[in-house]
Amino acid sequence: MTESFDPEWGSSTLGIRAAEPRTANREHSASVSMTSSYVFRSAAEAAAVFQGEAPGYVYSRFTNPTVEAFERRLAAMEGGQSCVATASGMAAVLSLCLALLKQGDHILAARGLFGATVNLFNNVLGRFGVTTSYVDTTADVAAWKAALQPNTKLLFVETPSNPLCELTDIAALAQLAHAHGAWLCVDNCFLTPVLQQPLKLGADFVIHSATKYIDGQGRGIGGAIVGDAERVGKDVFGFMRTAGPCMSPFNAWLFLKGLETLGVRMRAHCENARAVAEWLERQPSVVRVFYPGLASHPQHVLAQRQQHGYGAIVSFEVEGGREAAWRLIDATRMLSITANLGDTRTTITHPATTTHGRISQQARDAAGITEGLVRVAVGLEDTRDIIADLARGLATLR
Ligand SMILES: *Cc1c(COP(=O)(O)O)cnc(C)c1O
């Protein structure tokens, strides 16, 4: 049973109140529906539910009350008609592509995508005759236009990009895609629906790694696809029913609870990140800071227009290349040295030798990922403690 809600509510209210699952026990906080299948009162009822002629749950590979509550709540927050939850963020990318593309189709993607997404496109989908090419300057819509092929069916972008926080104009890219008869998918992992709603800007699909900010506490792996009732509600859902990369009810419960605090957490992440970025910009040993919330960011105006906040990924460049960057990272005592993000804990990483270590030097140079670049995913600790730890790192550069 699900309580009704108003789709016009703000994202914090929707995150708390939309699609609240409530059983006959009238529990206030959502419970977990840990069951693989459902029973029927008669053979006739079973037949009707199986045929889709009567409502009801059948089997948790494709319908489960806790998973459905998470899907409906996330769809409401993104402003989408339908959502399908998946076992991971990567399963979301895979499910979208396998549900909608066929042999001979082409994907046009941003160069700086999450590494596993690039591997999936090149080394998995490539074996089945779906080709992918990449646009270097993802901020430049003309570059996307020039790279379109007659068989381009899907444009795929992460904005802000990782790790340099380069933005893509979602509305302009959606227009370009639609004029070409293609779809636009935005991986909205970095900002979440609290800070950016790509569907409202014209994108067709939103992908999430729920593993990151939606959980927000580093506890579980999950993902989701949000979009319209036809492509997502029928095609992707049908793929899920058949192929089965589904989310477990327990993880859906974690993420459902995560959505309840997403608004307040994202605003706190943004506040900390802004303070860190502004502080870094004042440090003499820092050459450059990449954060869309800074007036110095070349796309600050676009960020103000298409986002409701600037996110929590701050990258900066120090002089002295890899040796200096590693010395800085190793001198921190509180920050976690890991490439993960979207956690309460602030993390610090050296993109050139970790997240982007497997791409060629040439590709790294083209993307502007230098040896002196450090990425911080700002968490929820007290601002002064995060800054004090970074100061400890920067002190080794003098
Ligand atoms: C982590 C991540 C993914 C993949 O998600 P998983 O849950 O790890 O499978 C996809 N896109 C972005 C931007 C990510 O950060």
Side-chain angles (χ1 to χ4, degrees):
M1 194 204 299
T2 312
E3 304 293 303
S4 67
F5 62 92
D6 180 349
E8 297 305 317
W9 280 339
S11 59
S12 292
T13 311
L14 289 171
I16 294 166
R17 294 285 182 179
E20 191 73 77
R22 197 158 283 162
T23 70
N25 296 326
R26 291 176 284 105
E27 67 274 30
H28 191 203
S29 178
S31 54
V32 198
S33 190
M34 291 303 294
T35 178
S36 51
S37 63
Y38 294 82
V39 291
F40 305 96
R41 277 159 294 211
S42 66
E45 186 184 36
V49 174
F50 264 80
Q51 302 304 321
E53 287 157 7
Y57 299 102
V58 174
Y59 190 58
S60 288
R61 188 192 324 116
F62 50 97
T63 48
N64 172 279
T66 318
V67 177
E68 186 183 271
F70 167 70
E71 292 170 335
R72 292 192 54 204
R73 185 172 294 181
L74 184 60
M77 294 173 80
E78 288 284 3
Q81 295 171 334
S82 292
C83 172
V84 173
T86 55
S88 65
M90 291 317 303
V93 182
L94 178 71
S95 299
L96 180 77
C97 292
L98 291 188
L100 299 182
L101 303 178
K102 61 179 189 323
Q103 187 176 25
D105 287 345
H106 173 250
I107 301 170
L108 184 58
R111 173 71 66 192
L113 288 185
F114 186 67
T117 306
V118 174
N119 276 339
L120 176 74
F121 287 169
N122 293 349
N123 304 327
V124 180
L125 296 182
R127 285 192 284 118
F128 296 91
V130 173
T131 54
T132 304
S133 57
Y134 299 89
V135 180
D136 277 324
T137 47
T138 53
D140 180 8
V141 177
W144 286 85
K145 187 170 185 186
L148 285 169
Q149 297 181 10
N151 57 341
T152 304
K153 286 281 161 55
L154 182 68
L155 275 61
F156 195 102
V157 69
E158 290 165 18
T159 176
S161 71
N162 180 25
L164 293 177
C165 294
E166 199 180 28
L167 309 191
T168 305
D169 185 333
I170 296 173
L173 203 62
Q175 238 174 16
L176 180 75
H178 298 158
H180 194 72
W183 295 297
L184 172 63
C185 177
V186 177
D187 181 331
N188 204 24
C189 171
F190 275 28
L191 292 181
T192 80
V194 172
L195 303 180
Q196 177 171 273
Q197 293 162 308
L199 300 178
K200 294 188 177 171
L201 298 167
D204 301 280
F205 309 110
V206 162
I207 288 286
H208 273 290
S209 168
T211 314
K212 310 296 166 51
Y213 293 103
I214 290 178
D215 173 46
Q217 297 170 63
R219 298 168 295 190
I221 302 276
I225 304 141
V226 190
D228 70 327
E230 194 61 33
R231 303 292 169 203
V232 175
K234 289 213 175 86
D235 297 345
V236 177
F237 176 78
F239 173 81
M240 178 60 62
R241 183 172 182 146
T242 304
C246 53
M247 178 180 281
S248 89
F250 182 77
N251 282 14
W253 177 78
L254 283 181
F255 302 136
L256 191 67
K257 301 307 286 179
L259 290 179
E260 291 184 15
T261 55
L262 189 63
V264 70
R265 283 189 287 109
M266 290 316 288
R267 284 188 285 279
H269 275 292
C270 289
E271 205 175 298
N272 267 355
R274 193 190 182 109
V276 166
E278 284 172 357
W279 177 82
L280 281 169
E281 210 170 37
R282 292 196 301 271
Q283 306 310 306
S285 42
V286 172
V287 181
R288 193 169 161 200
V289 182
F290 302 86
Y291 183 64
L294 295 173
S296 61
H297 190 282
Q299 295 167 295
H300 181 59
V301 173
L302 175 61
Q304 283 176 318
R305 191 173 77 227
Q306 91 177 0
Q307 304 179 185
H308 313 299
Y310 303 110
I313 309 299
V314 180
S315 292
F316 61 99
E317 203 175 312
V318 293
E319 259 172 54
R322 177 187 304 192
E323 197 267 332
W326 279 21
R327 192 142 39 92
L328 182 164
I329 292 168
D330 289 345
T332 61
R333 290 211 293 263
M334 181 185 80
L335 305 193
S336 310
I337 304 175
T338 172
N340 198 20
L341 58 96
D343 200 302
T344 51
R345 287 157 280 253
T346 300
T347 68
I348 189 165
T349 191
H350 184 242
T353 50
T354 59
T355 52
H356 294 71
R358 282 162 61 184
I359 63 172
S360 70
Q361 174 78 47
Q362 195 187 0
R364 268 200 304 278
D365 291 345
I369 299 162
T370 63
E371 291 284 330
L373 189 76
V374 175
R375 190 197 76 185
V376 178
V378 182
L380 298 178
E381 304 95 336
D382 288 300
T383 320
R384 66 190 171 109
D385 296 328
I386 301 169
I387 288 177
D389 211 26
L390 284 169
R392 199 174 287 126
L394 282 177
T396 64
L397 305 184
R398 285 201 219 108

